[in-house]
Coordinates of all heavy atoms in Angstrom, one line a residue:
S1 N 9.1 -10.1 -3.4 CA 8.7 -10.3 -4.8 C 9.3 -9.1 -5.6 O 9.3 -8.0 -5.2 CB 7.2 -10.4 -4.9 OG 6.6 -9.1 -4.7
K2 N 9.6 -9.5 -6.9 CA 10.2 -8.5 -7.8 C 9.1 -7.6 -8.3 O 8.0 -8.0 -8.6 CB 10.9 -9.2 -8.9 CG 12.1 -8.5 -9.4 CD 13.0 -9.5 -10.2 CE 12.7 -9.3 -11.7 NZ 13.5 -10.1 -12.5
A3 N 9.4 -6.3 -8.5 CA 8.5 -5.3 -9.1 C 8.2 -5.7 -10.5 O 9.2 -6.1 -11.3 CB 9.0 -3.9 -9.0
R4 N 7.0 -5.6 -10.9 CA 6.6 -6.0 -12.3 C 6.9 -4.7 -13.2 O 6.6 -3.6 -12.8 CB 5.2 -6.4 -12.4 CG 5.0 -7.8 -11.8 CD 3.6 -8.3 -11.8 NE 2.8 -7.8 -12.9 CZ 1.4 -7.7 -12.8 NH1 0.8 -8.0 -11.7 NH2 0.7 -7.4 -13.9
P5 N 7.3 -5.0 -14.4 CA 7.6 -3.8 -15.3 C 6.2 -3.3 -15.8 O 5.2 -3.9 -15.7 CB 8.4 -4.4 -16.5 CG 8.0 -5.9 -16.5 CD 7.7 -6.2 -15.0
G6 N 6.3 -2.0 -16.3 CA 5.0 -1.5 -16.9 C 4.3 -0.5 -15.9 O 4.8 -0.4 -14.7
R7 N 3.3 0.0 -16.3 CA 2.5 1.0 -15.5 C 1.8 0.2 -14.4 O 1.2 -0.8 -14.6 CB 1.5 1.7 -16.4 CG 0.8 2.8 -15.7 CD -0.3 3.4 -16.6 NE 0.2 3.8 -17.9 CZ -0.6 4.0 -18.9 NH1 -1.9 3.9 -18.8 NH2 -0.1 4.4 -20.1
P8 N 1.8 0.8 -13.2 CA 1.1 0.2 -12.1 C -0.5 0.2 -12.3 O -1.0 1.1 -13.1 CB 1.4 1.0 -10.9 CG 2.0 2.3 -11.4 CD 2.5 2.0 -12.8
Q9 N -1.2 -0.8 -11.8 CA -2.6 -0.9 -12.0 C -3.3 0.3 -11.3 O -2.9 0.8 -10.2 CB -3.1 -2.2 -11.3 CG -2.6 -3.4 -12.0 CD -3.2 -4.6 -11.3 OE1 -3.7 -4.6 -10.3 NE2 -3.1 -5.8 -12.1
K10 N -4.3 0.8 -12.0 CA -5.1 1.9 -11.4 C -6.0 1.5 -10.2 O -6.3 2.3 -9.4 CB -5.9 2.6 -12.5 CG -5.1 3.6 -13.3 CD -6.0 4.5 -14.1 CE -5.2 5.6 -14.8 NZ -6.1 6.5 -15.6
L11 N -6.4 0.2 -10.3 CA -7.3 -0.2 -9.2 C -6.5 -1.0 -8.1 O -5.9 -2.0 -8.4 CB -8.3 -1.2 -9.8 CG -9.4 -0.7 -10.7 CD1 -10.5 -1.8 -10.9 CD2 -10.0 0.5 -10.2
N12 N -6.5 -0.4 -7.0 CA -5.9 -1.1 -5.8 C -6.8 -2.2 -5.4 O -7.9 -2.4 -5.9 CB -5.5 -0.1 -4.7 CG -6.8 0.6 -4.1 OD1 -7.9 0.0 -4.2 ND2 -6.6 1.7 -3.6
S13 N -6.3 -3.0 -4.4 CA -7.0 -4.2 -4.0 C -8.4 -3.8 -3.4 O -9.4 -4.5 -3.6 CB -6.2 -5.1 -3.1 OG -5.8 -4.3 -2.0
A14 N -8.5 -2.7 -2.7 CA -9.7 -2.2 -2.1 C -10.8 -1.9 -3.2 O -11.9 -2.3 -3.2 CB -9.5 -1.0 -1.2
A15 N -10.3 -1.2 -4.3 CA -11.2 -0.9 -5.4 C -11.6 -2.2 -6.1 O -12.8 -2.3 -6.6 CB -10.5 0.1 -6.3
Q16 N -10.7 -3.1 -6.3 CA -11.0 -4.4 -7.0 C -12.1 -5.1 -6.2 O -13.0 -5.6 -6.8 CB -9.8 -5.2 -7.1 CG -8.8 -4.7 -8.2 CD -7.6 -5.6 -8.3 OE1 -7.6 -6.8 -8.2 NE2 -6.4 -4.9 -8.4
E17 N -11.9 -5.2 -4.9 CA -12.9 -5.9 -4.0 C -14.2 -5.2 -4.1 O -15.3 -5.8 -4.2 CB -12.4 -6.0 -2.6 CG -11.4 -7.0 -2.3 CD -11.9 -8.4 -2.7 OE1 -13.0 -8.8 -2.3 OE2 -11.1 -9.1 -3.5
G18 N -14.2 -3.8 -4.0 CA -15.4 -3.0 -4.0 C -16.2 -3.3 -5.4 O -17.4 -3.4 -5.4
L19 N -15.4 -3.3 -6.4 CA -16.0 -3.5 -7.8 C -16.6 -4.9 -7.8 O -17.7 -5.1 -8.3 CB -15.0 -3.3 -8.9 CG -15.5 -3.6 -10.3 CD1 -16.6 -2.7 -10.6 CD2 -14.3 -3.3 -11.3
K20 N -15.9 -5.9 -7.3 CA -16.4 -7.3 -7.4 C -17.7 -7.4 -6.6 O -18.7 -8.0 -7.1 CB -15.3 -8.2 -6.8 CG -15.6 -9.6 -7.1 CD -14.4 -10.5 -6.8 CE -14.5 -11.9 -7.3 NZ -13.3 -12.7 -7.1
D21 N -17.8 -6.7 -5.4 CA -19.0 -6.8 -4.6 C -20.1 -6.1 -5.4 O -21.3 -6.5 -5.3 CB -18.8 -6.1 -3.3 CG -17.8 -6.8 -2.4 OD1 -17.6 -8.0 -2.6 OD2 -17.3 -6.2 -1.4
A22 N -19.8 -4.9 -6.0 CA -20.8 -4.2 -6.7 C -21.4 -5.0 -7.9 O -22.6 -5.0 -8.2 CB -20.3 -2.9 -7.2
L23 N -20.5 -5.7 -8.6 CA -20.9 -6.5 -9.8 C -21.8 -7.7 -9.4 O -22.5 -8.2 -10.3 CB -19.7 -6.9 -10.6 CG -18.9 -5.8 -11.3 CD1 -17.6 -6.4 -11.9 CD2 -19.7 -5.1 -12.3
M24 N -21.7 -8.0 -8.2 CA -22.6 -9.1 -7.7 C -24.1 -8.7 -7.6 O -25.0 -9.5 -7.6 CB -22.2 -9.7 -6.3 CG -20.8 -10.2 -6.3 SD -20.6 -11.7 -7.3 CE -20.7 -12.9 -5.9
K25 N -24.2 -7.4 -7.5 CA -25.6 -6.8 -7.4 C -26.0 -6.2 -8.8 O -25.1 -6.1 -9.6 CB -25.6 -5.7 -6.4 CG -25.2 -6.1 -5.0 CD -25.2 -4.9 -4.0 CE -24.9 -5.4 -2.6 NZ -23.6 -5.1 -2.2
T26 N -27.2 -5.9 -8.9 CA -27.6 -5.2 -10.2 C -27.3 -3.7 -9.9 O -27.4 -3.2 -8.8 CB -29.1 -5.4 -10.5 OG1 -29.9 -4.7 -9.5 CG2 -29.5 -6.8 -10.6
P27 N -27.1 -3.0 -11.0 CA -26.9 -1.5 -10.9 C -28.1 -0.8 -10.2 O -27.9 0.1 -9.4 CB -26.7 -1.0 -12.3 CG -26.3 -2.2 -13.1 CD -26.9 -3.4 -12.4
E28 N -29.3 -1.3 -10.5 CA -30.5 -0.8 -9.9 C -30.5 -0.9 -8.4 O -30.9 0.0 -7.7 CB -31.7 -1.4 -10.5 CG -32.0 -1.0 -11.9 CD -33.0 -1.9 -12.6 OE1 -33.1 -3.1 -12.3 OE2 -33.6 -1.4 -13.6
E29 N -29.9 -2.0 -7.8 CA -29.8 -2.1 -6.4 C -28.9 -1.1 -5.8 O -29.1 -0.8 -4.6 CB -29.3 -3.5 -6.0 CG -30.2 -4.7 -6.2 CD -29.6 -6.0 -5.9 OE1 -29.7 -6.4 -4.8 OE2 -29.0 -6.6 -6.9
L30 N -28.0 -0.6 -6.6 CA -27.1 0.5 -6.1 C -27.5 1.9 -6.4 O -26.8 2.8 -6.3 CB -25.7 0.2 -6.6 CG -25.0 -1.1 -6.2 CD1 -23.7 -1.3 -6.8 CD2 -24.8 -1.2 -4.7
G31 N -28.7 2.0 -6.9 CA -29.3 3.3 -7.2 C -29.1 3.8 -8.6 O -29.3 5.0 -8.9
Y32 N -28.6 3.0 -9.5 CA -28.4 3.5 -10.9 C -29.6 3.2 -11.7 O -30.4 2.3 -11.4 CB -27.1 2.8 -11.5 CG -25.9 3.2 -10.9 CD1 -25.2 2.4 -10.0 CD2 -25.3 4.4 -11.1 CE1 -24.0 2.7 -9.4 CE2 -24.1 4.8 -10.5 CZ -23.5 3.9 -9.6 OH -22.3 4.3 -9.0
Q33 N -29.8 4.0 -12.8 CA -31.0 3.8 -13.6 C -30.8 2.8 -14.8 O -31.2 3.0 -15.9 CB -31.3 5.2 -14.3 CG -31.6 6.3 -13.3 CD -32.9 6.2 -12.6 OE1 -34.0 6.1 -13.3 NE2 -32.9 6.1 -11.3
Q34 N -30.0 1.8 -14.5 CA -29.6 0.8 -15.5 C -29.8 -0.6 -15.0 O -29.5 -0.8 -13.8 CB -28.2 1.1 -15.9 CG -27.8 0.7 -17.3 CD -26.5 1.3 -17.7 OE1 -26.3 2.5 -17.7 NE2 -25.6 0.4 -18.1
A35 N -30.2 -1.5 -15.9 CA -30.5 -2.8 -15.4 C -29.2 -3.7 -15.4 O -29.1 -4.6 -14.6 CB -31.5 -3.5 -16.3
I36 N -28.3 -3.5 -16.3 CA -27.1 -4.3 -16.4 C -25.8 -3.5 -16.3 O -25.8 -2.3 -16.7 CB -27.1 -5.2 -17.6 CG1 -27.2 -4.3 -18.9 CG2 -28.1 -6.2 -17.6 CD1 -26.9 -5.0 -20.2
W37 N -24.7 -4.1 -15.9 CA -23.4 -3.4 -15.9 C -22.8 -3.4 -17.3 O -22.8 -4.3 -18.0 CB -22.5 -4.1 -15.0 CG -22.8 -4.0 -13.5 CD1 -23.4 -5.0 -12.7 CD2 -22.6 -2.9 -12.7 NE1 -23.6 -4.5 -11.5 CE2 -23.1 -3.2 -11.4 CE3 -22.0 -1.6 -12.9 CZ2 -23.0 -2.3 -10.3 CZ3 -22.0 -0.7 -11.8 CH2 -22.4 -1.1 -10.5
D38 N -22.3 -2.2 -17.6 CA -21.5 -2.1 -18.9 C -20.2 -1.3 -18.5 O -20.1 -0.8 -17.4 CB -22.3 -1.5 -20.0 CG -22.7 -0.1 -19.8 OD1 -22.2 0.5 -18.8 OD2 -23.5 0.4 -20.6
G39 N -19.3 -1.2 -19.5 CA -18.1 -0.5 -19.2 C -18.3 0.9 -18.7 O -17.6 1.3 -17.8
N40 N -19.2 1.7 -19.3 CA -19.4 3.1 -18.9 C -19.9 3.2 -17.5 O -19.4 4.0 -16.8 CB -20.4 3.7 -19.9 CG -19.8 4.0 -21.3 OD1 -18.5 4.1 -21.4 ND2 -20.6 4.0 -22.3
L41 N -20.8 2.3 -17.1 CA -21.4 2.4 -15.8 C -20.3 2.0 -14.8 O -20.2 2.6 -13.7 CB -22.6 1.5 -15.7 CG -23.4 1.6 -14.4 CD1 -23.8 3.0 -14.1 CD2 -24.6 0.7 -14.4
V42 N -19.5 1.0 -15.1 CA -18.4 0.6 -14.2 C -17.4 1.8 -14.0 O -17.0 2.1 -12.9 CB -17.6 -0.6 -14.7 CG1 -16.3 -0.8 -13.9 CG2 -18.5 -1.8 -14.6
C43 N -17.2 2.6 -15.0 CA -16.3 3.8 -15.0 C -17.0 4.8 -14.0 O -16.3 5.4 -13.1 CB -16.2 4.5 -16.3 SG -15.2 3.5 -17.5
V44 N -18.3 5.0 -14.1 CA -19.0 6.0 -13.3 C -18.9 5.5 -11.8 O -18.6 6.3 -10.9 CB -20.5 6.1 -13.7 CG1 -21.3 6.8 -12.7 CG2 -20.6 6.8 -15.1
Y45 N -19.2 4.2 -11.6 CA -19.1 3.6 -10.2 C -17.8 3.8 -9.6 O -17.6 4.3 -8.5 CB -19.5 2.2 -10.3 CG -19.3 1.5 -9.0 CD1 -20.3 1.6 -8.0 CD2 -18.2 0.7 -8.7 CE1 -20.1 1.0 -6.7 CE2 -18.0 0.1 -7.5 CZ -18.9 0.2 -6.5 OH -18.8 -0.3 -5.2
L46 N -16.7 3.5 -10.3 CA -15.3 3.6 -9.8 C -15.0 5.0 -9.4 O -14.3 5.3 -8.5 CB -14.3 3.0 -10.7 CG -14.4 1.4 -10.8 CD1 -13.5 1.0 -12.0 CD2 -14.0 0.8 -9.5
K47 N -15.4 6.0 -10.3 CA -15.1 7.4 -10.1 C -15.8 7.9 -8.8 O -15.2 8.5 -8.0 CB -15.5 8.2 -11.3 CG -15.1 9.7 -11.2 CD -14.7 10.2 -12.5 CE -14.3 11.6 -12.6 NZ -13.7 12.2 -11.4
E48 N -17.1 7.5 -8.7 CA -17.9 7.9 -7.5 C -17.4 7.3 -6.2 O -17.3 8.0 -5.2 CB -19.4 7.6 -7.8 CG -20.1 8.4 -8.8 CD -21.5 8.0 -9.0 OE1 -22.0 7.0 -8.5 OE2 -22.2 8.7 -9.8
K49 N -17.1 6.0 -6.2 CA -16.8 5.3 -5.0 C -15.3 5.4 -4.6 O -15.0 5.5 -3.4 CB -17.2 3.8 -5.1 CG -18.6 3.6 -5.0 CD -19.1 3.6 -3.6 CE -20.5 3.2 -3.5 NZ -21.3 3.9 -2.6
F50 N -14.4 5.4 -5.6 CA -13.0 5.3 -5.3 C -12.2 6.4 -5.9 O -11.0 6.5 -5.7 CB -12.5 3.9 -5.7 CG -13.1 2.8 -5.1 CD1 -14.1 2.1 -5.8 CD2 -12.8 2.4 -3.8 CE1 -14.8 1.0 -5.2 CE2 -13.4 1.3 -3.2 CZ -14.4 0.6 -3.9
G51 N -12.8 7.3 -6.6 CA -12.1 8.4 -7.2 C -11.1 8.0 -8.3 O -10.2 8.7 -8.6
V52 N -11.4 6.8 -8.9 CA -10.5 6.2 -9.9 C -11.1 6.5 -11.3 O -12.3 6.2 -11.5 CB -10.3 4.7 -9.7 CG1 -9.5 4.1 -10.8 CG2 -9.7 4.4 -8.4
K53 N -10.3 7.1 -12.2 CA -10.8 7.4 -13.5 C -10.2 6.4 -14.5 O -9.0 6.4 -14.7 CB -10.5 8.8 -13.8 CG -11.3 9.4 -14.9 CD -11.0 10.9 -15.1 CE -11.8 11.4 -16.4 NZ -11.3 12.7 -16.8
I54 N -11.0 5.6 -15.1 CA -10.5 4.7 -16.1 C -11.4 4.7 -17.3 O -12.6 5.2 -17.2 CB -10.4 3.2 -15.7 CG1 -11.7 2.6 -15.3 CG2 -9.4 3.1 -14.5 CD1 -11.7 1.1 -15.0
K55 N -10.9 4.3 -18.5 CA -11.7 4.3 -19.7 C -12.7 3.0 -19.7 O -12.4 2.1 -19.1 CB -10.8 4.3 -20.9 CG -10.1 5.6 -21.1 CD -9.4 5.7 -22.4 CE -8.9 7.1 -22.8 NZ -8.2 7.8 -21.8
S56 N -13.7 3.2 -20.6 CA -14.7 2.1 -20.7 C -14.0 0.7 -21.0 O -14.4 -0.3 -20.5 CB -15.7 2.5 -21.8 OG -16.7 1.5 -21.9
R57 N -13.1 0.7 -21.9 CA -12.4 -0.5 -22.3 C -11.7 -1.2 -21.2 O -11.7 -2.4 -21.0 CB -11.5 -0.3 -23.5 CG -11.0 -1.5 -24.2 CD -12.1 -2.2 -25.0 NE -11.7 -3.5 -25.5 CZ -12.3 -4.6 -25.1 NH1 -13.3 -4.6 -24.3 NH2 -11.9 -5.8 -25.6
S58 N -11.0 -0.3 -20.4 CA -10.3 -0.8 -19.2 C -11.3 -1.4 -18.2 O -11.1 -2.5 -17.6 CB -9.6 0.3 -18.5 OG -8.5 0.7 -19.3
A59 N -12.5 -0.8 -18.1 CA -13.5 -1.2 -17.2 C -14.0 -2.6 -17.6 O -14.2 -3.5 -16.8 CB -14.7 -0.2 -17.1
Q60 N -14.2 -2.8 -18.9 CA -14.6 -4.1 -19.5 C -13.5 -5.1 -19.2 O -13.9 -6.3 -18.8 CB -14.8 -4.0 -21.0 CG -16.0 -3.1 -21.3 CD -16.1 -2.8 -22.8 OE1 -15.3 -3.3 -23.6 NE2 -17.1 -2.1 -23.2
N61 N -12.3 -4.8 -19.3 CA -11.2 -5.7 -19.0 C -11.2 -6.1 -17.5 O -11.0 -7.3 -17.2 CB -9.8 -5.1 -19.4 CG -9.6 -5.0 -20.9 OD1 -10.3 -5.7 -21.6 ND2 -8.8 -4.1 -21.3
W62 N -11.5 -5.1 -16.6 CA -11.5 -5.4 -15.2 C -12.7 -6.4 -14.9 O -12.5 -7.3 -14.1 CB -11.6 -4.2 -14.4 CG -10.3 -3.6 -14.1 CD1 -9.7 -2.5 -14.6 CD2 -9.3 -4.2 -13.2 NE1 -8.5 -2.3 -14.1 CE2 -8.2 -3.3 -13.3 CE3 -9.2 -5.3 -12.4 CZ2 -7.0 -3.6 -12.6 CZ3 -8.1 -5.5 -11.7 CH2 -7.0 -4.7 -11.8
M63 N -13.8 -6.1 -15.6 CA -15.0 -7.0 -15.3 C -14.6 -8.5 -15.7 O -14.9 -9.4 -15.0 CB -16.2 -6.6 -16.2 CG -16.8 -5.3 -15.7 SD -18.0 -4.6 -16.9 CE -19.4 -5.7 -16.7
K64 N -13.9 -8.6 -16.8 CA -13.4 -9.9 -17.3 C -12.4 -10.5 -16.3 O -12.5 -11.7 -15.9 CB -12.8 -9.8 -18.7 CG -12.6 -11.0 -19.4 CD -12.2 -10.8 -20.8 CE -11.8 -12.0 -21.5 NZ -11.3 -11.8 -22.9
K65 N -11.4 -9.7 -15.8 CA -10.4 -10.2 -14.9 C -11.0 -10.7 -13.6 O -10.6 -11.6 -13.0 CB -9.4 -9.1 -14.6 CG -8.3 -9.0 -15.5 CD -7.3 -7.9 -14.9 CE -6.5 -7.3 -16.1 NZ -5.9 -6.0 -15.8
L66 N -12.1 -10.0 -13.2 CA -12.8 -10.4 -11.9 C -13.8 -11.5 -12.1 O -14.5 -11.9 -11.2 CB -13.5 -9.2 -11.3 CG -12.5 -8.0 -10.9 CD1 -13.3 -6.8 -10.5 CD2 -11.6 -8.5 -9.8
G67 N -13.8 -12.0 -13.3 CA -14.7 -13.2 -13.6 C -16.1 -12.9 -14.0 O -17.0 -13.8 -14.0
F68 N -16.4 -11.7 -14.5 CA -17.7 -11.4 -14.9 C -17.7 -11.3 -16.5 O -16.7 -10.8 -17.0 CB -18.2 -10.1 -14.3 CG -18.4 -10.2 -12.8 CD1 -17.3 -9.9 -12.0 CD2 -19.6 -10.5 -12.3 CE1 -17.4 -10.0 -10.6 CE2 -19.7 -10.6 -10.9 CZ -18.7 -10.4 -10.1
T69 N -18.8 -11.7 -17.1 CA -18.9 -11.6 -18.5 C -19.7 -10.3 -18.9 O -20.5 -9.9 -18.0 CB -19.6 -12.8 -19.1 OG1 -20.9 -12.9 -18.5 CG2 -18.8 -14.0 -18.9
R70 N -19.5 -9.8 -20.0 CA -20.3 -8.7 -20.5 C -21.8 -9.2 -20.7 O -22.0 -10.3 -21.2 CB -19.8 -8.2 -21.8 CG -18.6 -7.3 -21.7 CD -18.1 -6.8 -23.0 NE -19.0 -5.9 -23.6 CZ -18.8 -5.4 -24.8 NH1 -17.9 -5.9 -25.6 NH2 -19.7 -4.5 -25.3
Q71 N -22.7 -8.4 -20.2 CA -24.1 -8.8 -20.3 C -24.8 -7.9 -21.3 O -24.4 -6.7 -21.5 CB -24.8 -8.7 -19.0 CG -24.2 -9.6 -18.0 CD -24.7 -9.3 -16.6 OE1 -25.2 -8.2 -16.3 NE2 -24.6 -10.2 -15.7
Y72 N -25.7 -8.5 -22.0 CA -26.5 -7.7 -23.0 C -27.9 -7.7 -22.6 O -28.4 -8.6 -22.0 CB -26.4 -8.4 -24.4 CG -24.9 -8.4 -24.8 CD1 -24.1 -9.5 -24.6 CD2 -24.4 -7.3 -25.5 CE1 -22.8 -9.5 -25.0 CE2 -23.1 -7.3 -25.9 CZ -22.3 -8.4 -25.7 OH -21.0 -8.4 -26.1
P73 N -28.6 -6.6 -22.9 CA -30.0 -6.6 -22.5 C -30.8 -7.7 -23.2 O -30.5 -8.0 -24.4 CB -30.5 -5.2 -23.0 CG -29.3 -4.5 -23.6 CD -28.2 -5.4 -23.5
R74 N -31.7 -8.3 -22.5 CA -32.5 -9.3 -23.2 C -33.5 -8.6 -24.2 O -34.2 -7.7 -23.8 CB -33.4 -10.0 -22.1 CG -32.6 -11.0 -21.4 CD -33.5 -12.1 -20.8 NE -32.7 -13.0 -20.0 CZ -32.6 -12.9 -18.7 NH1 -33.3 -12.0 -18.0 NH2 -31.9 -13.8 -18.0
R75 N -33.5 -9.1 -25.4 CA -34.5 -8.6 -26.4 C -35.8 -9.3 -26.1 O -35.8 -10.5 -26.0 CB -34.0 -9.0 -27.8 CG -32.6 -8.4 -28.1 CD -32.8 -7.0 -28.7 NE -31.5 -6.4 -29.0 CZ -31.0 -5.4 -28.4 NH1 -31.7 -4.8 -27.4 NH2 -29.8 -4.9 -28.7
K76 N -36.8 -8.5 -26.0 CA -38.1 -9.1 -25.8 C -38.7 -9.5 -27.2 O -38.8 -8.6 -28.1 CB -39.0 -8.2 -25.1 CG -38.7 -8.0 -23.6 CD -39.9 -7.4 -22.9 CE -39.6 -7.4 -21.4 NZ -38.9 -6.3 -20.9
Y77 N -39.1 -10.7 -27.4 CA -39.7 -11.1 -28.6 C -41.2 -11.0 -28.5 O -41.8 -11.6 -27.6 CB -39.3 -12.6 -29.0 CG -40.0 -13.1 -30.2 CD1 -39.6 -12.6 -31.4 CD2 -41.1 -14.0 -30.2 CE1 -40.2 -13.0 -32.6 CE2 -41.7 -14.4 -31.3 CZ -41.3 -13.9 -32.5 OH -41.9 -14.4 -33.7
I78 N -41.7 -10.1 -29.3 CA -43.2 -9.9 -29.3 C -43.8 -10.7 -30.5 O -43.5 -10.4 -31.6 CB -43.5 -8.4 -29.4 CG1 -42.9 -7.7 -28.1 CG2 -45.0 -8.2 -29.5 CD1 -42.6 -6.3 -28.3
R79 N -44.6 -11.7 -30.1 CA -45.1 -12.5 -31.1 C -46.2 -11.7 -31.9 O -47.1 -11.1 -31.2 CB -45.7 -13.8 -30.5 CG -45.8 -15.0 -31.4 CD -46.1 -16.2 -30.7 NE -47.4 -16.1 -30.1 CZ -47.9 -16.9 -29.2 NH1 -47.1 -17.8 -28.6 NH2 -49.1 -16.8 -28.7
P80 N -46.2 -11.7 -33.2 CA -47.2 -11.0 -33.9 C -48.6 -11.7 -33.7 O -48.7 -12.9 -33.6 CB -46.8 -11.1 -35.4 CG -45.8 -12.2 -35.4 CD -45.2 -12.4 -34.1
I81 N -49.6 -10.9 -33.7 CA -51.0 -11.5 -33.5 C -51.4 -11.9 -34.9 O -51.5 -11.0 -35.8 CB -51.9 -10.5 -32.9 CG1 -51.4 -10.1 -31.5 CG2 -53.3 -11.1 -32.8 CD1 -52.0 -8.9 -30.9
L82 N -51.7 -13.2 -35.1 CA -52.1 -13.6 -36.4 C -53.7 -13.7 -36.6 O -54.4 -13.9 -35.6 CB -51.5 -15.0 -36.7 CG -50.0 -15.1 -36.7 CD1 -49.5 -16.5 -36.8 CD2 -49.4 -14.3 -37.8

């Protein structure tokens, strides 16, 4: 296969698989103090596990490439007492 032009990907296949496995769990299950994955936390995870340093936006793109959507914390609706 022909080499693709441009900068090579920072995440090798092992890091991609590791990230995919991690994203299947909650950050809390992996010992983080956060309920949902976001770009910053993915950056921290990749640096700790694989020594790969990427920016938050790249981390979000990787989440998307691997088939995960960005998650937002659920807002709790507190019904006023009438």
Side-chain angles (χ1 to χ4, degrees):
S1 71
K2 214 162 98 176
R4 287 176 36 205
R7 189 185 307 161
Q9 296 180 343
K10 278 196 175 179
L11 290 193
N12 60 26
S13 54
Q16 288 178 41
E17 282 304 308
L19 177 58
K20 198 169 188 173
D21 291 344
L23 292 174
M24 299 291 262
K25 301 180 176 101
T26 67
E28 288 164 332
E29 286 177 89
L30 297 175
Y32 295 102
Q33 301 286 305
Q34 205 168 303
I36 57 167
W37 289 102
D38 63 11
N40 290 332
L41 188 56
V42 169
C43 291
V44 170
Y45 173 79
L46 289 171
K47 186 144 177 32
E48 287 176 357
K49 286 281 185 220
F50 301 99
V52 175
K53 199 174 173 193
I54 62 173
K55 289 188 166 52
S56 180
R57 191 74 189 115
S58 294
Q60 291 169 2
N61 290 339
W62 274 109
M63 288 168 74
K64 194 173 173 182
K65 270 184 208 161
L66 295 173
F68 295 88
T69 56
R70 283 179 69 190
Q71 297 171 340
Y72 299 93
R74 282 204 186 100
R75 301 267 179 248
K76 286 197 174 88
Y77 176 71
I78 296 153
R79 207 168 62 200
I81 301 163
L82 302 173

